[in-house]
Amino acid sequence: MLITMSEHDINRFKVIQDVCDRRLRRCDAAELLGLSVRQVQRLMNRLREFGASSLVHHLCGKPGNRRYPSE
């Protein structure tokens, strides 16, 4: 399955992967990403359980709710 990721998502994946591999501490990753330590832990858990696709926003690639119908 192909996962489309933005530069932001790729950077987030690399940082969280470094934390999982113990090359970076959670508090340092939180500072780099502008998140709390608890949110970094949540991202780590999602990455371990569901893989890289869990870090991408779920609505990415879907049309917005306020989009006009195309004719």
Side-chain angles (χ1 to χ4, degrees):
M1 182 169 119
L2 183 64
I3 302 169
T4 304
M5 298 178 90
S6 65
E7 289 293 325
H8 180 262
D9 294 331
I10 292 171
N11 183 39
R12 176 180 277 194
F13 172 73
K14 288 178 183 177
V15 171
I16 298 299
Q17 188 65 44
D18 285 346
V19 176
C20 289
D21 294 340
R22 298 182 186 267
R23 287 181 283 203
L24 192 63
R25 296 183 308 173
R26 282 187 296 171
C27 59
D28 296 333
E31 189 174 324
L32 282 172
L33 297 175
L35 301 172
S36 67
V37 177
R38 176 72 183 115
Q39 187 64 32
V40 170
Q41 181 64 46
R42 289 183 187 138
L43 291 173
M44 286 173 55
N45 293 341
R46 280 187 9 205
L47 181 64
R48 286 182 187 135
E49 188 171 347
F50 300 111
S53 62
S54 66
L55 299 180
V56 179
H57 196 275
H58 298 288
L59 296 178
C60 187
K62 294 183 181 178
N65 291 334
R66 295 174 179 254
R67 189 180 79 172
Y68 288 112
S70 60
E71 294 180 282

